Amino acid sequence: MSFMDEWAEAKARAQAQARENATHTNLAGLDGPGPGPAPSGPSGTLAMDGTAQSKAGGYITDHLLGETEKASRHANPSSGAAQRALDGFELAGALKSVTEQWNGKARMLNTALLRDRGGLLDTRGLHIRNESDTEKSFKGVPHRPSPLLPNAPYPPRSPLSDLG
């Protein structure tokens, strides 16, 4: 199976799972066509699923970081042996320069992978905290009496509550 086929399958699985496990934020909107641009998305809902981010972060941890480290460890002794074998030739200096560049690029790649993994793994928790904070902020909105019913009780009471 080619990389592109494997990538397409992984992407399709992630999208299907995202639809199943999504956290949703409902957006206020108008029923039917109205002025202004139409809401994006199939139902005017923002959806976020932390499963895909967790899987991507796990893949970085389980595969990419280890494989990058293994490639660096393999390249260093081989390059060092080649430099010693070519000692006295100009090629030895060039090989040393390439080895130093390789090590620098490998460190940069590991740093980028660690940063990306951290961002991916933190995304879900951040989104859940934001949802919770938004919900709490709505609960704290003070009641303002309606100008049409200035003497209405708050919270609104039903005649059934008088029976209790």
Side-chain angles (χ1 to χ4, degrees):
M1 177 181 287
S2 75
F3 172 77
M4 293 307 288
D5 293 337
E6 199 173 329
W7 178 255
E9 278 185 19
K11 187 175 172 184
R13 280 193 308 270
Q15 288 172 342
Q17 192 166 19
R19 285 188 294 273
E20 291 174 13
N21 301 329
T23 302
H24 295 283
T25 299
N26 293 324
L27 301 178
L30 300 173
D31 293 333
S40 63
S43 63
T45 298
L46 291 176
M48 186 288 218
D49 175 32
T51 306
Q53 288 84 356
S54 295
K55 281 186 176 182
Y59 186 81
I60 290 172
T61 301
D62 298 339
H63 299 286
L64 296 179
L65 287 170
E67 294 297 320
T68 303
E69 181 65 29
K70 189 166 89 174
S72 295
R73 281 194 313 260
H74 175 74
N76 285 335
S78 301
S79 299
Q83 285 175 16
R84 287 187 296 279
L86 295 171
D87 192 30
F89 294 96
E90 289 182 23
L91 189 55
L95 188 55
K96 180 180 180 184
S97 174
V98 168
T99 302
E100 290 170 357
Q101 288 179 9
W102 167 267
N103 290 334
K105 299 291 182 187
R107 280 192 300 273
M108 283 177 26
L109 178 58
N110 270 338
T111 301
L113 288 171
L114 288 168
R115 183 186 62 241
D116 291 347
R117 180 190 64 177
L120 287 166
L121 296 177
D122 291 343
T123 299
R124 184 172 192 191
L126 179 62
H127 181 74
I128 290 170
R129 284 191 301 277
N130 286 345
E131 285 289 307
S132 176
D133 290 347
T134 301
E135 181 182 342
K136 287 176 188 172
S137 72
F138 279 115
K139 288 180 180 176
V141 173
H143 169 68
R144 292 198 178 117
S146 165
L148 301 175
L149 301 169
N151 297 323
Y154 185 80
R157 293 179 47 198
S158 142
L160 295 176
S161 62
D162 294 333
L163 299 174

